[in-house]
Amino acid sequence: MSLASQRLIASIHDAHLSQRPLVMGVLNVTPDSFSDGGQFASRHKAVEQALRLEQEGAAILDVGGESTRPGAEPVGLQEELDRVIPVIEGIRARTQCPISIDTSKSEVMAEAIRAGANLVNDVTALKGEGATEVVAAHQVPVVLMHMQGQPRSMQQAPEYGDVVPEISEFLLERVRSCATAGIAPDHIVLDPGFGFGKTLAHNVALLAGLPQVVELGHPVLAGLSRKSMLGQITGRDDPKERVSASVAAALLAAQAGAAIVRVHDVAQTVDALKVWQAVREQQRQTTRANTP
Ligand code: 9MG
């Protein structure tokens, strides 16, 4: 295992145990993200954006080349590689900040790790062909996310009996499969997958029940940033207008015990977490002082 992966695993577990969540900054490298000015200009802009996110306090940079939004169409292998690999190489040439590859394709995982990625973020929880093998072979940490259905159709009619236990059971089953494939349990981060095949009621129940997912014993990642559930609650249609709602949701996830929050608005989230942590530290000191 590389030293960088060892360090990342240690910092994720430290975040989990100390309840000081790491902020993962989202870097989408889909054509609509950095498109003006051609291939090299857009690669340069993506790398500059990554460095900005790091400067703002991102502890992990999550690079993704295939949209997972509801209704999104799949992207071919070569197209996805062409989008993400040069950007990962470009980031790695400029910073040692941990990089996460957001993909479900084992070939992209392997190439991204070769190019400098340190963590795999898979919204299909390593169910794709060859995915567990790649993660086991490279001994990198992995985020296993729950999704009902596929991005193209997942919001059509999501259904659960009891959403939190059902998702927890799915995640535990994936942990067992990964262990059988040779992935160390302490390399696994769990993610209930807000917005992935869930109605507003499911998402709210999931956020309220997030401590139960944390109790499964693995670090938990929560991705609520700018999602449509926040648009439904606030009435804000434009995702860019959901910053305050996203920060509030990240704080709630942190309070519930999330070890990583995946966000677009890194600076705002980092500030909010600092306020929460300062008050929490004071509360801890007061409790200690008053304990005989
Ligand atoms: C790629 N992506 C989009 N939303 C996400 C979420 O909530 N969690 C994870 N792990 N990845 C996500």
Side-chain angles (χ1 to χ4, degrees), residues 62 68 102 121-123 143 145 191 193-194 196 221-224 227 262:
D62 190 38
T68 51
D102 155 21
N121 175 26
D122 183 4
V123 299
V143 178
M145 199 199 78
D191 181 346
F194 289 99
F196 284 83
L221 182 150
L224 292 133
K227 287 202 172 158
R262 182 181 182 276

Side-chain angles (χ1 to χ4, degrees), residues 253-276:
Q255 201 153 25
I260 306 176
V261 287
R262 182 181 182 276
V263 306
H264 298 83
D265 305 292
V266 169
Q268 294 87 339
T269 309
V270 167
D271 278 1
L273 285 170
K274 280 182 183 165
V275 174
W276 173 66

Side-chain angles (χ1 to χ4, degrees), residues 152-163:
R152 206 183 318 175
S153 56
M154 65 189 175
Q155 288 309 105
Q156 280 166 11
E159 258 189 55
Y160 298 86
D162 197 346
V163 67

Side-chain angles (χ1 to χ4, degrees), residues 202-213:
H202 296 140
N203 286 312
V204 171
L206 205 45
L207 186 49
L210 197 60
Q212 293 168 57
V213 182

